[in-house]
Amino acid sequence: MNTLKLKNPIKIDGNVVTEVTYNADEIDGILFATAEAKKKSAAGMKNAGTISPAAEFDFGLHLYLGFAAIIAVNPTYDFSDVERIKGNDLVEVMKIGRNFMLASGEEQQQNDSDEHTETTPESTTPAPQTSKESE
C-alpha cells in the first residue's frame, strides 16, 4: 500500500483529506472498465465511433486508473470523491495510472530479455581451400 500526500486537500464525506492510500495491484476488471467509462464520460466521448489512443499514451485513462487505484483500497470513496483532486496532485495520480499501464509492458520486455537466444553452432566441416591458399 502506498500513500499520496495531497498538496491541495479535498473534502470527502465532510472530512478534509490530506493524503490518500492507493494500490494499483488491487485494480480489478470492474474498476478498470469503470475507469475507462468515467474517462470517456468526462471527456464527453460516446462509445460509438470513437477512436481511443493506445492505452500506453491515453493520459485521461491513466488519470482514471490512478483514481481506481485509490478507490480500490478506500471502499468508502467513489470516483466523484477523487475527481475533486486538483492541481499537481492530478499529475501524481496520473503517474500512478501510467505506471500501472506500463508495468506489464516492462515485465514483458524483461522476460523477453531473460530468454536465451539460440545461436547457430559453428560448423565442424573444415572450410574448403581457396586457390590463393594452395599457392
Side-chain angles (χ1 to χ4, degrees), residues 89-103:
D89 295 332
L90 279 177
V91 175
E92 296 303 315
V93 172
M94 185 207 58
K95 288 178 186 177
I96 295 167
R98 180 199 64 204
N99 291 343
F100 172 75
M101 289 304 299
L102 296 179

Side-chain angles (χ1 to χ4, degrees), residues 16-35:
V16 175
V17 176
T18 59
E19 61 183 36
V20 291
T21 54
Y22 66 92
N23 186 345
D25 288 334
E26 295 299 319
I27 296 173
D28 61 15
I30 292 171
L31 266 176
F32 189 98
T34 304

Side-chain angles (χ1 to χ4, degrees), residues 7-128:
K7 292 178 176 134
N8 302 295
I10 58 173
K11 276 194 172 184
I12 298 178
D13 296 328
N15 299 315
V16 175
V17 176
T18 59
E19 61 183 36
V20 291
T21 54
Y22 66 92
N23 186 345
D25 288 334
E26 295 299 319
I27 296 173
D28 61 15
I30 292 171
L31 266 176
F32 189 98
T34 304
E36 185 175 32
K38 292 283 189 181
K39 185 262 324 194
K40 286 182 178 183
S41 176
M45 300 167 71
K46 301 204 184 318
N47 286 336
T50 331
I51 299 174
S52 295
E56 293 85 358
F57 303 109
D58 190 342
F59 303 117
L61 179 59
H62 297 172
L63 176 63
Y64 276 84
L65 286 172
F67 289 156
I70 295 168
I71 293 167
V73 294
N74 295 285
T76 61
Y77 295 0
D78 64 23
F79 281 94
S80 65
D81 291 324
V82 293
E83 285 173 329
R84 290 193 287 274
I85 294 173
K86 62 184 178 186
N88 194 47
D89 295 332
L90 279 177
V91 175
E92 296 303 315
V93 172
M94 185 207 58
K95 288 178 186 177
I96 295 167
R98 180 199 64 204
N99 291 343
F100 172 75
M101 289 304 299
L102 296 179
S104 61
E106 288 172 0
E107 287 173 11
Q108 182 61 38
Q109 285 178 343
Q110 186 174 3
N111 288 343
D112 289 348
S113 66
D114 288 344
E115 291 178 10
H116 297 289
T117 57
E118 290 186 27
T119 56
T120 306
E122 290 186 33
S123 175
T124 56
T125 308

